[in-house]
Amino acid sequence: MNRFAQGFERCRREGRAALMPYMTAGDPSLEWTERLIDAAVEAGADMIELGVPYSDPLADGPTVQAAGQRALAAGVTVDGIFGLVRRVRARYPALPLALLVYYNCVFRRGERRFVEDAAAAGVDGLIIPDLPPEEGGGVQDAAAEAGIDVIYLVAPTSTPERIRLIASRSTAFIYCVSLTGVTGARSQLSASLDAFLSRVRREVRAAGKELPLAVGFGISKPEHVAEVSRLADGVIVGSALIDTFHGQENLEAGLEACRSMIQAMRSAALLPA
Amino acid sequence: MSVSVKPGYFGRYGGRFVPEVLVPAIDELTAAYEEAKADPRFQEEFMRELQAYSGRPTPLYRADRLTEMAGGAVVYLKREDLNHTGAHKINNAIGQILLARRMGKKRIIAETGAGQHGVATATVCAKYGLECVVYMGEEDIRRQALNVFRMKLLGAEVRPVASGSRTLKDATNEAIRDWVTHVETTYYLIGSVVGMHPYPTMVRDFQSVIGREARAQILEQEGRLPDAVVACVGGGSNAMGIFYPFLEDPGVRLIGVEAAGEGLDRCHAASLSRGTPGVLHGSLSYILQDDDGQIVLPHSISAGLDYPGVGPEHAYLKDSGRAEYVAVTDQEALEGFLLLTKTEGIIPALESAHAVIHGVKVAKEIGPGGIVIINLSGRGDKDVQQVAQLLGELGGGAR
């Protein structure tokens, strides 16, 4: 069983949703990202989603765009990020870790080479937000050979047929986009989240699959985490953490604020018995 | 020549690399376009609008003094600058607005570089009473102030984009993000043969009226096909529009002219000449990128060519050798701008000036007895102020 399957299984046994913080690698440096990952794990994060900064992130709102710009301005490279992953993997052998990367970074390195290098560094799965399953054949073949997962996204606009198609191609988990829009903190969850996730669950089952559902986009507060935990198997928090990290008087204070936020969210992810 | 392998692909190029949230809308758009394309009433309405509203067909004008200057082949200009709103962009805007209406969409968004596509979109939205939001980079807003004012007069909301290079690429990113967020109500009216399938095909179809007319006109005026057709290439819609009806005529050279900016070894926007295959704005084509796949900031004197990618069908035509692509510098474009203005009394857009200057060179090479058609994609009123500044004529309290 791979790390994501084990991670979701452990959380299920412990009666809670898995908490997966997102951070942009290299924002504002790889050293800070490494410290953030340490803090997140210490605070109770179950899994990590690490973003490769990209010049033109179409699925991202202002917060993640700015994080990517800071990272690129600092000179962060894909090789540098794989180095970070190797260090994190050495320190946390069981931590499920997904890489969020826009397709052009994969294509440019070569699908096969990117996937092999990611797997060798210790990445468990690739989330490619601009790669729908119809275009994903090459990456998926390479990933299957390298023994890592390709994680597809489903959106509130996805038709039942598309959800089944995505389910049939998915292995580790399905990334459910909570809203019709780009990433970024929101004050409220989508009112139709419950119905959307029920639809996804139904179609995943209809595709003959049993897959954990992780929900991301717009999840900003412990109350959101508590609510999503009742509906899904995993909760992804990105922009709210980045806002918190950069919203304090200095980055040391930002790191501590993130630690507190993740602790609060981890407690909120516990399902009422 | 068959250019499509699977739907939405031109050889290996094209595709639709987009967030899942957009896929159902793109499926809907693809189906709606296929249906409209096959519907004679839609095609009739499109042609009627092109004639009655935009003034088509545009003339194929024999430029005698330019020909004399070139000292070689006869030079013809396809006068897309005479379209309503002053550029070829209106052809596509009319086609897509009819499709948007057919689909029942009430809110239209667009990206714009030089502002010509933004103006064309704002124009058709005014004509049909539709809400219009145009994304435009802050840098382009600065250098194309006249077009910004035109869009506002036409009732469009112009949203400045401050990210990245603050030009066309970033305006396109922001338009796509708007579409992601309002996909259920909004029609995204892309202005060039770029983006995800079906846009490269659809925009080319709407623009190919240029080449169909030019081909018939040259046969009528000269009794034969031209030796070369020359057009500027940013995203590549005016070039695809004039090239497409000549693809099956092997004797006609198709020459795309990119922006070499300050020079191909410095800042430029020559994706085909100097780029590598990659994905930008939803399709695989030639793009300007670094070794990690990060998009490199382009540069051109002309806002309409200042784009780090190009339509996927051009990438296919380059690889197959059916079309040739060259690049001319800012300085050469400026020479083309002045040359056409002074010899023919036609002020071209800075974009089109790239085609003019290279077209003259091609005419010289081909020599007497030859025929060259230059696609004069737009008029230069929008650029007059910028050119005046470049020529240093606005100094010393000039008003």
Side-chain angles (χ1 to χ4, degrees), chain A residues 146-191:
Chain A
I148 65 173
D149 295 301
V150 178
I151 293 133
Y152 288 108
L153 298 88
V154 297
T157 55
S158 301
T159 58
E161 296 74 33
R162 291 197 59 78
I163 298 173
R164 290 198 294 276
L165 170 71
I166 288 162
S168 72
R169 301 285 180 87
S170 297
T171 42
F173 64 95
I174 294 183
Y175 190 134
C176 302
V177 176
S178 78
L179 47 84
T180 303
V182 294
T183 60
R186 308 286 202 281
S187 55
Q188 285 187 317
L189 291 177
S190 158

Short mmCIF file of all heavy atoms in Angstrom, two decimals, chain A residues 146-191:
data_model
loop_
_atom_site.label_atom_id
_atom_site.label_comp_id
_atom_site.label_asym_id
_atom_site.label_seq_id
_atom_site.Cartn_x
_atom_site.Cartn_y
_atom_site.Cartn_z
N ALA A 146 6.69 4.36 -12.79
CA ALA A 146 7.54 4.84 -11.70
C ALA A 146 6.92 4.56 -10.34
O ALA A 146 7.54 4.80 -9.30
CB ALA A 146 7.80 6.34 -11.87
N GLY A 147 5.68 4.09 -10.34
CA GLY A 147 5.03 3.74 -9.07
C GLY A 147 4.51 4.93 -8.29
O GLY A 147 4.43 4.89 -7.06
N ILE A 148 4.17 6.02 -8.98
CA ILE A 148 3.52 7.14 -8.28
C ILE A 148 2.16 7.40 -8.90
O ILE A 148 1.81 6.85 -9.95
CB ILE A 148 4.38 8.43 -8.27
CG1 ILE A 148 4.57 8.98 -9.68
CG2 ILE A 148 5.73 8.16 -7.60
CD1 ILE A 148 5.27 10.35 -9.69
N ASP A 149 1.37 8.24 -8.22
CA ASP A 149 -0.01 8.46 -8.64
C ASP A 149 -0.15 9.76 -9.42
O ASP A 149 0.59 10.72 -9.20
CB ASP A 149 -0.91 8.56 -7.41
CG ASP A 149 -0.95 7.25 -6.64
OD1 ASP A 149 -1.36 6.24 -7.25
OD2 ASP A 149 -0.57 7.23 -5.46
N VAL A 150 -1.13 9.77 -10.33
CA VAL A 150 -1.58 11.03 -10.94
C VAL A 150 -2.94 11.33 -10.33
O VAL A 150 -3.84 10.49 -10.37
CB VAL A 150 -1.70 10.93 -12.47
CG1 VAL A 150 -2.21 12.24 -13.06
CG2 VAL A 150 -0.35 10.57 -13.08
N ILE A 151 -3.05 12.50 -9.73
CA ILE A 151 -4.29 12.85 -9.03
C ILE A 151 -5.05 13.86 -9.89
O ILE A 151 -4.55 14.95 -10.17
CB ILE A 151 -3.97 13.44 -7.64
CG1 ILE A 151 -3.36 12.33 -6.78
CG2 ILE A 151 -5.22 14.00 -6.99
CD1 ILE A 151 -2.13 12.74 -6.04
N TYR A 152 -6.25 13.47 -10.31
CA TYR A 152 -7.05 14.37 -11.14
C TYR A 152 -8.01 15.17 -10.27
O TYR A 152 -8.35 14.79 -9.15
CB TYR A 152 -7.84 13.57 -12.18
CG TYR A 152 -6.97 13.02 -13.28
CD1 TYR A 152 -6.67 11.66 -13.36
CD2 TYR A 152 -6.41 13.86 -14.24
CE1 TYR A 152 -5.86 11.15 -14.37
CE2 TYR A 152 -5.61 13.37 -15.26
CZ TYR A 152 -5.34 12.01 -15.32
OH TYR A 152 -4.55 11.53 -16.31
N LEU A 153 -8.46 16.29 -10.84
CA LEU A 153 -9.41 17.14 -10.13
C LEU A 153 -10.80 16.97 -10.74
O LEU A 153 -10.93 16.76 -11.95
CB LEU A 153 -9.00 18.61 -10.25
CG LEU A 153 -7.64 18.98 -9.63
CD1 LEU A 153 -6.51 18.78 -10.63
CD2 LEU A 153 -7.64 20.42 -9.12
N VAL A 154 -11.82 17.04 -9.90
CA VAL A 154 -13.18 17.16 -10.40
C VAL A 154 -13.73 18.50 -9.90
O VAL A 154 -13.31 18.99 -8.86
CB VAL A 154 -14.13 16.02 -9.96
CG1 VAL A 154 -13.66 14.69 -10.51
CG2 VAL A 154 -14.28 15.97 -8.46
N ALA A 155 -14.62 19.09 -10.67
CA ALA A 155 -15.15 20.42 -10.35
C ALA A 155 -16.67 20.34 -10.26
O ALA A 155 -17.27 19.39 -10.76
CB ALA A 155 -14.73 21.41 -11.43
N PRO A 156 -17.27 21.35 -9.65
CA PRO A 156 -18.74 21.36 -9.58
C PRO A 156 -19.40 21.31 -10.96
O PRO A 156 -20.54 20.92 -11.09
CB PRO A 156 -19.06 22.68 -8.87
CG PRO A 156 -17.83 22.99 -8.08
CD PRO A 156 -16.68 22.48 -8.89
N THR A 157 -18.66 21.73 -11.99
CA THR A 157 -19.22 21.71 -13.35
C THR A 157 -19.04 20.36 -14.04
O THR A 157 -19.57 20.16 -15.14
CB THR A 157 -18.54 22.79 -14.21
OG1 THR A 157 -17.12 22.58 -14.17
CG2 THR A 157 -18.84 24.19 -13.72
N SER A 158 -18.29 19.45 -13.44
CA SER A 158 -18.04 18.15 -14.08
C SER A 158 -19.34 17.37 -14.24
O SER A 158 -20.11 17.25 -13.29
CB SER A 158 -17.06 17.31 -13.26
OG SER A 158 -15.82 17.97 -13.11
N THR A 159 -19.55 16.83 -15.42
CA THR A 159 -20.74 16.02 -15.66
C THR A 159 -20.55 14.64 -15.03
O THR A 159 -19.41 14.23 -14.76
CB THR A 159 -20.96 15.83 -17.16
OG1 THR A 159 -19.79 15.20 -17.70
CG2 THR A 159 -21.18 17.16 -17.87
N PRO A 160 -21.65 13.90 -14.81
CA PRO A 160 -21.52 12.54 -14.27
C PRO A 160 -20.57 11.68 -15.11
O PRO A 160 -19.76 10.93 -14.56
CB PRO A 160 -22.95 12.00 -14.31
CG PRO A 160 -23.81 13.22 -14.22
CD PRO A 160 -23.06 14.31 -14.93
N GLU A 161 -20.66 11.80 -16.43
CA GLU A 161 -19.78 11.01 -17.31
C GLU A 161 -18.32 11.34 -17.04
O GLU A 161 -17.47 10.46 -16.99
CB GLU A 161 -20.08 11.28 -18.79
CG GLU A 161 -21.47 10.88 -19.27
CD GLU A 161 -22.57 11.82 -18.78
OE1 GLU A 161 -22.31 13.04 -18.63
OE2 GLU A 161 -23.69 11.34 -18.51
N ARG A 162 -18.05 12.64 -16.88
CA ARG A 162 -16.66 13.04 -16.65
C ARG A 162 -16.17 12.58 -15.29
O ARG A 162 -15.02 12.20 -15.13
CB ARG A 162 -16.50 14.56 -16.79
CG ARG A 162 -16.67 15.07 -18.22
CD ARG A 162 -16.12 16.47 -18.39
NE ARG A 162 -14.70 16.51 -18.06
CZ ARG A 162 -13.75 16.08 -18.88
NH1 ARG A 162 -14.06 15.60 -20.06
NH2 ARG A 162 -12.49 16.15 -18.51
N ILE A 163 -17.03 12.63 -14.28
CA ILE A 163 -16.61 12.16 -12.95
C ILE A 163 -16.25 10.68 -13.03
O ILE A 163 -15.24 10.25 -12.47
CB ILE A 163 -17.71 12.41 -11.89
CG1 ILE A 163 -17.98 13.93 -11.77
CG2 ILE A 163 -17.28 11.85 -10.54
CD1 ILE A 163 -19.15 14.29 -10.88
N ARG A 164 -17.05 9.92 -13.77
CA ARG A 164 -16.73 8.48 -13.90
C ARG A 164 -15.43 8.29 -14.65
O ARG A 164 -14.61 7.44 -14.28
CB ARG A 164 -17.88 7.74 -14.60
CG ARG A 164 -19.14 7.63 -13.73
CD ARG A 164 -20.08 6.54 -14.23
NE ARG A 164 -20.66 6.85 -15.53
CZ ARG A 164 -21.75 7.60 -15.71
NH1 ARG A 164 -22.38 8.13 -14.67
NH2 ARG A 164 -22.21 7.82 -16.92
N LEU A 165 -15.21 9.07 -15.71
CA LEU A 165 -13.95 8.98 -16.46
C LEU A 165 -12.76 9.28 -15.54
O LEU A 165 -11.77 8.54 -15.52
CB LEU A 165 -13.97 9.98 -17.63
CG LEU A 165 -12.64 10.19 -18.36
CD1 LEU A 165 -12.28 8.94 -19.19
CD2 LEU A 165 -12.69 11.41 -19.28
N ILE A 166 -12.90 10.35 -14.76
CA ILE A 166 -11.81 10.74 -13.87
C ILE A 166 -11.59 9.67 -12.80
O ILE A 166 -10.45 9.30 -12.49
CB ILE A 166 -12.11 12.13 -13.26
CG1 ILE A 166 -11.93 13.20 -14.35
CG2 ILE A 166 -11.21 12.42 -12.07
CD1 ILE A 166 -12.57 14.53 -14.06
N ALA A 167 -12.69 9.15 -12.27
CA ALA A 167 -12.57 8.09 -11.25
C ALA A 167 -11.85 6.88 -11.82
O ALA A 167 -10.99 6.28 -11.16
CB ALA A 167 -13.96 7.70 -10.74
N SER A 168 -12.17 6.55 -13.06
CA SER A 168 -11.57 5.35 -13.65
C SER A 168 -10.07 5.53 -13.85
O SER A 168 -9.32 4.57 -13.87
CB SER A 168 -12.26 5.01 -14.98
OG SER A 168 -11.88 5.94 -15.96
N ARG A 169 -9.62 6.79 -13.98
CA ARG A 169 -8.18 7.04 -14.18
C ARG A 169 -7.44 7.29 -12.86
O ARG A 169 -6.22 7.43 -12.86
CB ARG A 169 -7.98 8.28 -15.06
CG ARG A 169 -8.60 8.23 -16.42
CD ARG A 169 -7.80 7.33 -17.35
NE ARG A 169 -8.42 7.29 -18.66
CZ ARG A 169 -8.16 8.18 -19.63
NH1 ARG A 169 -7.29 9.13 -19.43
NH2 ARG A 169 -8.76 8.09 -20.80
N SER A 170 -8.18 7.46 -11.77
CA SER A 170 -7.56 7.90 -10.52
C SER A 170 -7.09 6.73 -9.69
O SER A 170 -7.65 5.64 -9.74
CB SER A 170 -8.55 8.75 -9.71
OG SER A 170 -8.89 9.90 -10.43
N THR A 171 -6.04 7.00 -8.88
CA THR A 171 -5.54 5.95 -7.98
C THR A 171 -5.56 6.42 -6.52
O THR A 171 -6.39 5.94 -5.75
CB THR A 171 -4.14 5.49 -8.43
OG1 THR A 171 -3.35 6.62 -8.78
CG2 THR A 171 -4.24 4.56 -9.62
N ALA A 172 -4.71 7.37 -6.15
CA ALA A 172 -4.58 7.70 -4.72
C ALA A 172 -5.85 8.31 -4.12
O ALA A 172 -6.38 7.83 -3.12
CB ALA A 172 -3.41 8.66 -4.52
N PHE A 173 -6.30 9.39 -4.72
CA PHE A 173 -7.52 10.05 -4.25
C PHE A 173 -8.00 10.98 -5.36
O PHE A 173 -7.30 11.19 -6.35
CB PHE A 173 -7.28 10.84 -2.94
CG PHE A 173 -6.32 11.99 -3.02
CD1 PHE A 173 -6.77 13.29 -3.24
CD2 PHE A 173 -4.95 11.79 -2.84
CE1 PHE A 173 -5.87 14.36 -3.30
CE2 PHE A 173 -4.05 12.86 -2.90
CZ PHE A 173 -4.52 14.14 -3.12
N ILE A 174 -9.19 11.52 -5.20
CA ILE A 174 -9.71 12.50 -6.16
C ILE A 174 -9.70 13.87 -5.48
O ILE A 174 -10.13 14.00 -4.33
CB ILE A 174 -11.12 12.13 -6.64
CG1 ILE A 174 -11.06 10.84 -7.46
CG2 ILE A 174 -11.71 13.26 -7.48
CD1 ILE A 174 -12.38 10.43 -8.06
N TYR A 175 -9.22 14.86 -6.20
CA TYR A 175 -9.16 16.22 -5.69
C TYR A 175 -10.45 16.91 -6.12
O TYR A 175 -10.66 17.17 -7.30
CB TYR A 175 -7.94 16.92 -6.29
CG TYR A 175 -7.59 18.27 -5.69
CD1 TYR A 175 -6.28 18.57 -5.34
CD2 TYR A 175 -8.55 19.25 -5.46
CE1 TYR A 175 -5.92 19.80 -4.81
CE2 TYR A 175 -8.22 20.47 -4.92
CZ TYR A 175 -6.90 20.75 -4.59
OH TYR A 175 -6.57 21.97 -4.06
N CYS A 176 -11.31 17.20 -5.14
CA CYS A 176 -12.59 17.83 -5.45
C CYS A 176 -12.45 19.35 -5.27
O CYS A 176 -12.19 19.83 -4.17
CB CYS A 176 -13.68 17.31 -4.53
SG CYS A 176 -13.87 15.52 -4.61
N VAL A 177 -12.63 20.08 -6.35
CA VAL A 177 -12.57 21.54 -6.30
C VAL A 177 -13.90 22.03 -5.73
O VAL A 177 -14.95 21.80 -6.33
CB VAL A 177 -12.32 22.12 -7.71
CG1 VAL A 177 -12.35 23.64 -7.69
CG2 VAL A 177 -10.99 21.62 -8.26
N SER A 178 -13.85 22.70 -4.56
CA SER A 178 -15.08 22.98 -3.82
C SER A 178 -15.99 23.99 -4.51
O SER A 178 -17.16 24.09 -4.18
CB SER A 178 -14.74 23.48 -2.42
OG SER A 178 -14.36 24.85 -2.48
N LEU A 179 -15.44 24.77 -5.42
CA LEU A 179 -16.23 25.87 -5.99
C LEU A 179 -15.87 26.05 -7.47
O LEU A 179 -14.86 25.55 -7.94
CB LEU A 179 -15.95 27.16 -5.20
CG LEU A 179 -14.48 27.48 -4.92
CD1 LEU A 179 -13.83 28.18 -6.08
CD2 LEU A 179 -14.37 28.32 -3.67
N THR A 180 -16.70 26.80 -8.16
CA THR A 180 -16.43 27.14 -9.54
C THR A 180 -15.61 28.41 -9.54
O THR A 180 -16.15 29.51 -9.44
CB THR A 180 -17.76 27.34 -10.30
OG1 THR A 180 -18.51 26.13 -10.17
CG2 THR A 180 -17.53 27.60 -11.78
N GLY A 181 -14.29 28.25 -9.61
CA GLY A 181 -13.44 29.42 -9.55
C GLY A 181 -12.00 29.05 -9.34
O GLY A 181 -11.63 27.89 -9.49
N VAL A 182 -11.18 30.05 -9.00
CA VAL A 182 -9.76 29.83 -8.79
C VAL A 182 -9.47 29.69 -7.30
O VAL A 182 -10.35 29.93 -6.46
CB VAL A 182 -8.94 30.99 -9.40
CG1 VAL A 182 -9.07 31.02 -10.91
CG2 VAL A 182 -9.35 32.34 -8.80
N THR A 183 -8.22 29.32 -6.96
CA THR A 183 -7.87 29.17 -5.55
C THR A 183 -7.91 30.53 -4.86
O THR A 183 -7.81 31.58 -5.49
CB THR A 183 -6.45 28.60 -5.39
OG1 THR A 183 -5.51 29.50 -6.01
CG2 THR A 183 -6.32 27.22 -6.02
N GLY A 184 -8.03 30.48 -3.52
CA GLY A 184 -8.05 31.73 -2.75
C GLY A 184 -8.98 31.59 -1.57
O GLY A 184 -9.99 30.88 -1.64
N ALA A 185 -8.62 32.27 -0.47
CA ALA A 185 -9.43 32.18 0.74
C ALA A 185 -10.82 32.75 0.48
O ALA A 185 -10.98 33.70 -0.27
CB ALA A 185 -8.75 32.96 1.86
N ARG A 186 -11.83 32.13 1.06
CA ARG A 186 -13.21 32.61 0.95
C ARG A 186 -13.79 32.67 2.37
O ARG A 186 -13.39 31.92 3.24
CB ARG A 186 -14.09 31.66 0.13
CG ARG A 186 -13.55 31.28 -1.24
CD ARG A 186 -13.67 32.42 -2.26
NE ARG A 186 -13.66 31.96 -3.64
CZ ARG A 186 -12.59 31.60 -4.33
NH1 ARG A 186 -11.40 31.61 -3.75
NH2 ARG A 186 -12.68 31.21 -5.59
N SER A 187 -14.76 33.55 2.55
CA SER A 187 -15.35 33.64 3.89
C SER A 187 -16.32 32.48 4.14
O SER A 187 -16.50 32.06 5.27
CB SER A 187 -16.04 34.99 4.08
OG SER A 187 -16.98 35.17 3.04
N GLN A 188 -16.92 31.96 3.08
CA GLN A 188 -17.89 30.89 3.26
C GLN A 188 -17.64 29.75 2.30
O GLN A 188 -17.13 29.95 1.20
CB GLN A 188 -19.30 31.42 3.00
CG GLN A 188 -19.83 32.27 4.12
CD GLN A 188 -21.28 32.63 3.89
OE1 GLN A 188 -21.66 32.97 2.78
NE2 GLN A 188 -22.08 32.53 4.94
N LEU A 189 -18.05 28.56 2.70
CA LEU A 189 -17.99 27.41 1.78
C LEU A 189 -19.15 27.50 0.80
O LEU A 189 -20.16 28.13 1.08
CB LEU A 189 -18.09 26.11 2.57
CG LEU A 189 -16.90 25.75 3.46
CD1 LEU A 189 -17.19 24.46 4.22
CD2 LEU A 189 -15.62 25.60 2.65
N SER A 190 -18.98 26.84 -0.32
CA SER A 190 -20.07 26.79 -1.29
C SER A 190 -21.29 26.09 -0.70
O SER A 190 -21.16 25.05 -0.05
CB SER A 190 -19.59 26.04 -2.55
OG SER A 190 -20.69 25.54 -3.25
N ALA A 191 -22.45 26.68 -0.91
CA ALA A 191 -23.67 26.12 -0.34
C ALA A 191 -23.99 24.76 -0.94
O ALA A 191 -24.69 23.94 -0.32
CB ALA A 191 -24.82 27.09 -0.57
#
